[in-house]
Amino acid sequence: MKKSKSILSLASLLFVFSINAQKVAFEEYDLANGMHVILHQDNAAPVVITSVMYHVGAKDEQPDRTGMAHFFEHLLFEGTKNINKGDWFKIVSSNGGRNNANTTDDRTYYYEIFPSNKLELGLWMESERLLHPIIKQGGVDTQNEVVKEEKRLRVDNQPYSRFLENVKLHMFKKHPYKGTTIGKMEHLDAATLEEFLAFNKKYYSPNNATLVVAGDIDKDQAKKWIDAYFARIPRGEKIERNFPKEDPITTQINAKAYDPNIQIPAIIQAFRTPSMKTRDSRVLDMISAYLSGGKSSVLYKKLVDTKKMALQAGAINLSQEDYGTYILFALPLGDVSLNDLVKEIDEEIVTLQTNLISEKDYQKLQNQFENNFVSSNSSVEGIANSLARYHVLFGDTNLINTEIDIYRNITREEIRAIAKKYLNSNQRLVLEYLPKDKQ
């Protein structure tokens, strides 16, 4: 009994802390050229983040030029009019900083983390990337080899690395989510310098960019530097997006895929779900946590611990700007068949669609999401990323403070209803992911 009270007290403290101590203060405004600026001041440590998120990702590529957005991320480290080729990382490290970038289907994100007395340097570097990039054939050739090596390392030679590629191939027939972020090398080999220049002109403009400055800053000084380095960059043409809509999946899709890097097969079920912006997508987040959020979760406990039918089992709500993909998976143990794993997983989905989860499990979910909320806002680096992401992909920067309220208000009845709405056998892909030598 004392243990239960302790757990309840801890949950209550976490709830109070998340409400009172985790509000992220920020200021946002637009420059005349359309660049959106977000400032977050936190003087707890002498660190500053300068980051820019561009609303361009793999979905914006031409069908015969997949991988362009990710390739371009690499290309913009080549150098600028005022930063020599190969000097970008040297400048950052020699000034006590670090930096990186990443690309998804929906956006591309660049950032630097510097001591706070180097804020002006970070702003200048990001303005250089936007205003004065050097895009020449030599840089294209260099990064072509870099991207190929990354593909070999992260995709071609990694076990289970192709499962998402094969899921997307069946989930999306019209929408560009059917491709992969890293793309096809033959498409990049065929791309011309003129195509890279056109990509830069279309997508790398201030009106398609969100600048976040976060950390130990003086906001008035930061605004002066932002104006000095970014305000003169000319506005680009307005980007029009009109992606084709997918037809509903009404009949189960059965498919197989083969991976030369695995010895143990996997069974994968996938369902097309709505945009990350929707309430339904947040409910699916909670369903994922219920099914596979840790070793005490439903699928892990049943298939791995109790019945010892699987080496691993879980659920993923891969939510994106236009659509989501809900994935259930399991790796069999010993001679357990993939069909038997499907049956066991289906039993849990039907239970979820039929009955309300227990109050205890519901409270556990709420505690998990409160904890995730606290953790996501625990570092300036994480806050900078979230501020950019909520503005670019959701159109509401303040979701950094309010999204947790959506999760708090999701009911057990909603969990049951959303499972029944989206996780039905006639709406899914069942993919047998097999070792290649069994083909």
mmCIF file of all heavy atoms in Angstrom, residues 258-288:
data_model
loop_
_atom_site.group_PDB
_atom_site.id
_atom_site.type_symbol
_atom_site.label_atom_id
_atom_site.label_comp_id
_atom_site.label_asym_id
_atom_site.label_seq_id
_atom_site.Cartn_x
_atom_site.Cartn_y
_atom_site.Cartn_z
ATOM 1 N N TYR A 258 12.621 -9.182 -49.221
ATOM 2 C CA TYR A 258 13.799 -10.000 -48.905
ATOM 3 C C TYR A 258 14.980 -9.116 -48.539
ATOM 4 O O TYR A 258 15.219 -8.087 -49.165
ATOM 5 C CB TYR A 258 14.138 -10.903 -50.101
ATOM 6 C CG TYR A 258 13.017 -11.845 -50.459
ATOM 7 C CD1 TYR A 258 12.026 -11.469 -51.359
ATOM 8 C CD2 TYR A 258 12.926 -13.099 -49.863
ATOM 9 C CE1 TYR A 258 10.979 -12.326 -51.667
ATOM 10 C CE2 TYR A 258 11.878 -13.957 -50.160
ATOM 11 C CZ TYR A 258 10.909 -13.567 -51.068
ATOM 12 O OH TYR A 258 9.869 -14.417 -51.365
ATOM 13 N N ASP A 259 15.701 -9.543 -47.514
ATOM 14 C CA ASP A 259 16.833 -8.780 -46.995
ATOM 15 C C ASP A 259 18.046 -9.704 -46.901
ATOM 16 O O ASP A 259 18.014 -10.703 -46.160
ATOM 17 C CB ASP A 259 16.469 -8.224 -45.615
ATOM 18 C CG ASP A 259 17.503 -7.240 -45.079
ATOM 19 O OD1 ASP A 259 18.691 -7.364 -45.453
ATOM 20 O OD2 ASP A 259 17.136 -6.365 -44.278
ATOM 21 N N PRO A 260 19.126 -9.412 -47.616
ATOM 22 C CA PRO A 260 20.305 -10.281 -47.578
ATOM 23 C C PRO A 260 21.079 -10.204 -46.262
ATOM 24 O O PRO A 260 21.978 -11.014 -46.020
ATOM 25 C CB PRO A 260 21.160 -9.749 -48.734
ATOM 26 C CG PRO A 260 20.771 -8.313 -48.867
ATOM 27 C CD PRO A 260 19.314 -8.265 -48.532
ATOM 28 N N ASN A 261 20.721 -9.246 -45.386
ATOM 29 C CA ASN A 261 21.481 -9.040 -44.152
ATOM 30 C C ASN A 261 20.835 -9.655 -42.917
ATOM 31 O O ASN A 261 21.292 -9.411 -41.802
ATOM 32 C CB ASN A 261 21.665 -7.534 -43.918
ATOM 33 C CG ASN A 261 22.416 -6.863 -45.044
ATOM 34 O OD1 ASN A 261 23.474 -7.310 -45.450
ATOM 35 N ND2 ASN A 261 21.858 -5.773 -45.562
ATOM 36 N N ILE A 262 19.767 -10.442 -43.111
ATOM 37 C CA ILE A 262 19.107 -11.021 -41.939
ATOM 38 C C ILE A 262 19.064 -12.549 -42.027
ATOM 39 O O ILE A 262 19.113 -13.123 -43.116
ATOM 40 C CB ILE A 262 17.674 -10.484 -41.764
ATOM 41 C CG1 ILE A 262 16.761 -10.940 -42.914
ATOM 42 C CG2 ILE A 262 17.679 -8.974 -41.640
ATOM 43 C CD1 ILE A 262 15.283 -10.610 -42.709
ATOM 44 N N GLN A 263 18.975 -13.170 -40.861
ATOM 45 C CA GLN A 263 18.784 -14.614 -40.770
ATOM 46 C C GLN A 263 17.426 -14.956 -40.154
ATOM 47 O O GLN A 263 16.888 -16.041 -40.403
ATOM 48 C CB GLN A 263 19.900 -15.246 -39.929
ATOM 49 C CG GLN A 263 21.278 -15.126 -40.573
ATOM 50 C CD GLN A 263 22.356 -15.762 -39.713
ATOM 51 O OE1 GLN A 263 22.270 -15.747 -38.486
ATOM 52 N NE2 GLN A 263 23.361 -16.314 -40.358
ATOM 53 N N ILE A 264 16.905 -14.035 -39.371
ATOM 54 C CA ILE A 264 15.604 -14.241 -38.722
ATOM 55 C C ILE A 264 14.570 -13.386 -39.442
ATOM 56 O O ILE A 264 14.762 -12.175 -39.600
ATOM 57 C CB ILE A 264 15.670 -13.856 -37.237
ATOM 58 C CG1 ILE A 264 16.684 -14.755 -36.517
ATOM 59 C CG2 ILE A 264 14.299 -13.982 -36.577
ATOM 60 C CD1 ILE A 264 16.992 -14.319 -35.110
ATOM 61 N N PRO A 265 13.480 -13.971 -39.892
ATOM 62 C CA PRO A 265 12.445 -13.194 -40.589
ATOM 63 C C PRO A 265 11.679 -12.288 -39.630
ATOM 64 O O PRO A 265 11.857 -12.355 -38.407
ATOM 65 C CB PRO A 265 11.548 -14.273 -41.186
ATOM 66 C CG PRO A 265 11.672 -15.413 -40.238
ATOM 67 C CD PRO A 265 13.104 -15.391 -39.768
ATOM 68 N N ALA A 266 10.825 -11.466 -40.182
ATOM 69 C CA ALA A 266 9.944 -10.623 -39.375
ATOM 70 C C ALA A 266 8.583 -10.576 -40.043
ATOM 71 O O ALA A 266 8.470 -10.742 -41.256
ATOM 72 C CB ALA A 266 10.511 -9.216 -39.254
ATOM 73 N N ILE A 267 7.569 -10.386 -39.236
ATOM 74 C CA ILE A 267 6.237 -10.148 -39.778
ATOM 75 C C ILE A 267 5.864 -8.713 -39.459
ATOM 76 O O ILE A 267 6.078 -8.229 -38.345
ATOM 77 C CB ILE A 267 5.177 -11.133 -39.207
ATOM 78 C CG1 ILE A 267 3.871 -11.017 -39.989
ATOM 79 C CG2 ILE A 267 4.968 -10.950 -37.720
ATOM 80 C CD1 ILE A 267 3.935 -11.503 -41.414
ATOM 81 N N ILE A 268 5.348 -8.025 -40.458
ATOM 82 C CA ILE A 268 5.042 -6.601 -40.315
ATOM 83 C C ILE A 268 3.618 -6.353 -40.784
ATOM 84 O O ILE A 268 3.221 -6.806 -41.863
ATOM 85 C CB ILE A 268 6.025 -5.746 -41.143
ATOM 86 C CG1 ILE A 268 7.458 -5.944 -40.632
ATOM 87 C CG2 ILE A 268 5.634 -4.269 -41.094
ATOM 88 C CD1 ILE A 268 8.524 -5.490 -41.594
ATOM 89 N N GLN A 269 2.860 -5.671 -39.975
ATOM 90 C CA GLN A 269 1.540 -5.188 -40.378
ATOM 91 C C GLN A 269 1.598 -3.667 -40.416
ATOM 92 O O GLN A 269 2.176 -3.040 -39.531
ATOM 93 C CB GLN A 269 0.474 -5.631 -39.386
ATOM 94 C CG GLN A 269 0.333 -7.131 -39.232
ATOM 95 C CD GLN A 269 -0.750 -7.489 -38.232
ATOM 96 O OE1 GLN A 269 -1.852 -6.974 -38.285
ATOM 97 N NE2 GLN A 269 -0.412 -8.372 -37.303
ATOM 98 N N ALA A 270 0.994 -3.069 -41.443
ATOM 99 C CA ALA A 270 1.030 -1.615 -41.566
ATOM 100 C C ALA A 270 -0.332 -1.089 -41.987
ATOM 101 O O ALA A 270 -1.035 -1.707 -42.792
ATOM 102 C CB ALA A 270 2.095 -1.193 -42.572
ATOM 103 N N PHE A 271 -0.704 0.059 -41.433
ATOM 104 C CA PHE A 271 -1.993 0.694 -41.693
ATOM 105 C C PHE A 271 -1.737 2.164 -42.046
ATOM 106 O O PHE A 271 -0.936 2.824 -41.383
ATOM 107 C CB PHE A 271 -2.886 0.636 -40.454
ATOM 108 C CG PHE A 271 -3.061 -0.747 -39.869
ATOM 109 C CD1 PHE A 271 -2.066 -1.316 -39.076
ATOM 110 C CD2 PHE A 271 -4.226 -1.464 -40.108
ATOM 111 C CE1 PHE A 271 -2.224 -2.582 -38.528
ATOM 112 C CE2 PHE A 271 -4.400 -2.729 -39.559
ATOM 113 C CZ PHE A 271 -3.393 -3.289 -38.778
ATOM 114 N N ARG A 272 -2.412 2.661 -43.061
ATOM 115 C CA ARG A 272 -2.288 4.081 -43.379
ATOM 116 C C ARG A 272 -3.181 4.890 -42.447
ATOM 117 O O ARG A 272 -4.354 4.573 -42.262
ATOM 118 C CB ARG A 272 -2.648 4.361 -44.828
ATOM 119 C CG ARG A 272 -2.197 5.758 -45.274
ATOM 120 C CD ARG A 272 -2.714 6.162 -46.630
ATOM 121 N NE ARG A 272 -2.455 5.145 -47.638
ATOM 122 C CZ ARG A 272 -3.400 4.659 -48.439
ATOM 123 N NH1 ARG A 272 -4.650 5.086 -48.338
ATOM 124 N NH2 ARG A 272 -3.111 3.750 -49.343
ATOM 125 N N THR A 273 -2.628 5.929 -41.849
ATOM 126 C CA THR A 273 -3.324 6.707 -40.832
ATOM 127 C C THR A 273 -3.238 8.198 -41.162
ATOM 128 O O THR A 273 -2.507 8.599 -42.076
ATOM 129 C CB THR A 273 -2.719 6.415 -39.443
ATOM 130 O OG1 THR A 273 -1.295 6.605 -39.501
ATOM 131 C CG2 THR A 273 -3.018 4.990 -39.003
ATOM 132 N N PRO A 274 -3.955 9.061 -40.431
ATOM 133 C CA PRO A 274 -3.997 10.477 -40.803
ATOM 134 C C PRO A 274 -2.759 11.266 -40.380
ATOM 135 O O PRO A 274 -1.884 10.753 -39.676
ATOM 136 C CB PRO A 274 -5.247 10.982 -40.075
ATOM 137 C CG PRO A 274 -5.381 10.078 -38.900
ATOM 138 C CD PRO A 274 -4.891 8.737 -39.358
ATOM 139 N N SER A 275 -2.721 12.508 -40.788
ATOM 140 C CA SER A 275 -1.613 13.424 -40.513
ATOM 141 C C SER A 275 -1.284 13.530 -39.029
ATOM 142 O O SER A 275 -2.161 13.405 -38.166
ATOM 143 C CB SER A 275 -1.984 14.807 -41.052
ATOM 144 O OG SER A 275 -1.151 15.819 -40.509
ATOM 145 N N MET A 276 -0.027 13.822 -38.752
ATOM 146 C CA MET A 276 0.433 14.055 -37.381
ATOM 147 C C MET A 276 -0.300 15.216 -36.705
ATOM 148 O O MET A 276 -0.308 15.322 -35.480
ATOM 149 C CB MET A 276 1.939 14.362 -37.377
ATOM 150 C CG MET A 276 2.313 15.561 -38.219
ATOM 151 S SD MET A 276 4.003 16.182 -37.978
ATOM 152 C CE MET A 276 4.999 14.780 -38.399
ATOM 153 N N LYS A 277 -0.912 16.072 -37.493
ATOM 154 C CA LYS A 277 -1.593 17.240 -36.934
ATOM 155 C C LYS A 277 -2.925 16.889 -36.273
ATOM 156 O O LYS A 277 -3.490 17.700 -35.546
ATOM 157 C CB LYS A 277 -1.845 18.266 -38.039
ATOM 158 C CG LYS A 277 -0.600 18.718 -38.779
ATOM 159 C CD LYS A 277 -0.996 19.635 -39.928
ATOM 160 C CE LYS A 277 0.152 19.854 -40.880
ATOM 161 N NZ LYS A 277 -0.228 20.718 -42.019
ATOM 162 N N THR A 278 -3.436 15.706 -36.557
ATOM 163 C CA THR A 278 -4.774 15.347 -36.085
ATOM 164 C C THR A 278 -4.765 14.796 -34.661
ATOM 165 O O THR A 278 -3.760 14.255 -34.190
ATOM 166 C CB THR A 278 -5.401 14.294 -37.010
ATOM 167 O OG1 THR A 278 -4.607 13.096 -36.959
ATOM 168 C CG2 THR A 278 -5.457 14.793 -38.452
ATOM 169 N N ARG A 279 -5.903 14.907 -34.020
ATOM 170 C CA ARG A 279 -6.075 14.302 -32.696
ATOM 171 C C ARG A 279 -5.971 12.778 -32.800
ATOM 172 O O ARG A 279 -5.392 12.123 -31.926
ATOM 173 C CB ARG A 279 -7.418 14.710 -32.105
ATOM 174 C CG ARG A 279 -7.656 14.219 -30.681
ATOM 175 C CD ARG A 279 -9.008 14.676 -30.158
ATOM 176 N NE ARG A 279 -9.245 14.188 -28.801
ATOM 177 C CZ ARG A 279 -8.903 14.825 -27.689
ATOM 178 N NH1 ARG A 279 -8.292 15.997 -27.774
ATOM 179 N NH2 ARG A 279 -9.163 14.311 -26.490
ATOM 180 N N ASP A 280 -6.517 12.213 -33.880
ATOM 181 C CA ASP A 280 -6.463 10.765 -34.060
ATOM 182 C C ASP A 280 -5.026 10.253 -34.029
ATOM 183 O O ASP A 280 -4.751 9.173 -33.484
ATOM 184 C CB ASP A 280 -7.118 10.366 -35.383
ATOM 185 C CG ASP A 280 -8.632 10.475 -35.343
ATOM 186 O OD1 ASP A 280 -9.177 10.907 -34.306
ATOM 187 O OD2 ASP A 280 -9.273 10.138 -36.358
ATOM 188 N N SER A 281 -4.118 11.007 -34.628
ATOM 189 C CA SER A 281 -2.710 10.587 -34.642
ATOM 190 C C SER A 281 -2.136 10.545 -33.231
ATOM 191 O O SER A 281 -1.353 9.653 -32.894
ATOM 192 C CB SER A 281 -1.884 11.528 -35.513
ATOM 193 O OG SER A 281 -0.536 11.117 -35.561
ATOM 194 N N ARG A 282 -2.534 11.498 -32.402
ATOM 195 C CA ARG A 282 -2.069 11.480 -31.004
ATOM 196 C C ARG A 282 -2.640 10.281 -30.239
ATOM 197 O O ARG A 282 -1.951 9.690 -29.406
ATOM 198 C CB ARG A 282 -2.478 12.776 -30.303
ATOM 199 C CG ARG A 282 -1.494 13.931 -30.448
ATOM 200 C CD ARG A 282 -1.785 14.792 -31.603
ATOM 201 N NE ARG A 282 -0.983 16.012 -31.597
ATOM 202 C CZ ARG A 282 -1.301 17.111 -32.274
ATOM 203 N NH1 ARG A 282 -2.412 17.143 -33.014
ATOM 204 N NH2 ARG A 282 -0.517 18.172 -32.246
ATOM 205 N N VAL A 283 -3.876 9.927 -30.537
ATOM 206 C CA VAL A 283 -4.445 8.739 -29.899
ATOM 207 C C VAL A 283 -3.661 7.499 -30.316
ATOM 208 O O VAL A 283 -3.382 6.616 -29.489
ATOM 209 C CB VAL A 283 -5.939 8.579 -30.259
ATOM 210 C CG1 VAL A 283 -6.511 7.328 -29.592
ATOM 211 C CG2 VAL A 283 -6.741 9.808 -29.833
ATOM 212 N N LEU A 284 -3.278 7.428 -31.580
ATOM 213 C CA LEU A 284 -2.466 6.304 -32.054
ATOM 214 C C LEU A 284 -1.100 6.280 -31.368
ATOM 215 O O LEU A 284 -0.534 5.203 -31.138
ATOM 216 C CB LEU A 284 -2.310 6.372 -33.579
ATOM 217 C CG LEU A 284 -3.581 6.008 -34.366
ATOM 218 C CD1 LEU A 284 -3.482 6.496 -35.801
ATOM 219 C CD2 LEU A 284 -3.818 4.497 -34.333
ATOM 220 N N ASP A 285 -0.558 7.439 -31.028
ATOM 221 C CA ASP A 285 0.668 7.479 -30.218
ATOM 222 C C ASP A 285 0.456 6.740 -28.893
ATOM 223 O O ASP A 285 1.310 5.966 -28.443
ATOM 224 C CB ASP A 285 1.074 8.924 -29.916
ATOM 225 C CG ASP A 285 1.678 9.647 -31.098
ATOM 226 O OD1 ASP A 285 2.173 8.980 -32.032
ATOM 227 O OD2 ASP A 285 1.665 10.899 -31.092
ATOM 228 N N MET A 286 -0.674 6.992 -28.279
ATOM 229 C CA MET A 286 -0.956 6.353 -26.989
ATOM 230 C C MET A 286 -1.181 4.854 -27.154
ATOM 231 O O MET A 286 -0.763 4.060 -26.299
ATOM 232 C CB MET A 286 -2.178 7.008 -26.327
ATOM 233 C CG MET A 286 -1.974 8.468 -25.978
ATOM 234 S SD MET A 286 -3.139 9.115 -24.760
ATOM 235 C CE MET A 286 -2.282 8.740 -23.233
ATOM 236 N N ILE A 287 -1.813 4.469 -28.254
ATOM 237 C CA ILE A 287 -2.006 3.038 -28.515
ATOM 238 C C ILE A 287 -0.656 2.351 -28.687
ATOM 239 O O ILE A 287 -0.442 1.243 -28.187
ATOM 240 C CB ILE A 287 -2.902 2.837 -29.748
ATOM 241 C CG1 ILE A 287 -4.332 3.286 -29.434
ATOM 242 C CG2 ILE A 287 -2.897 1.376 -30.191
ATOM 243 C CD1 ILE A 287 -5.267 3.278 -30.628
ATOM 244 N N SER A 288 0.270 3.005 -29.382
ATOM 245 C CA SER A 288 1.618 2.445 -29.543
ATOM 246 C C SER A 288 2.296 2.254 -28.199
ATOM 247 O O SER A 288 2.925 1.228 -27.939
ATOM 248 C CB SER A 288 2.477 3.364 -30.418
ATOM 249 O OG SER A 288 2.077 3.314 -31.746
#
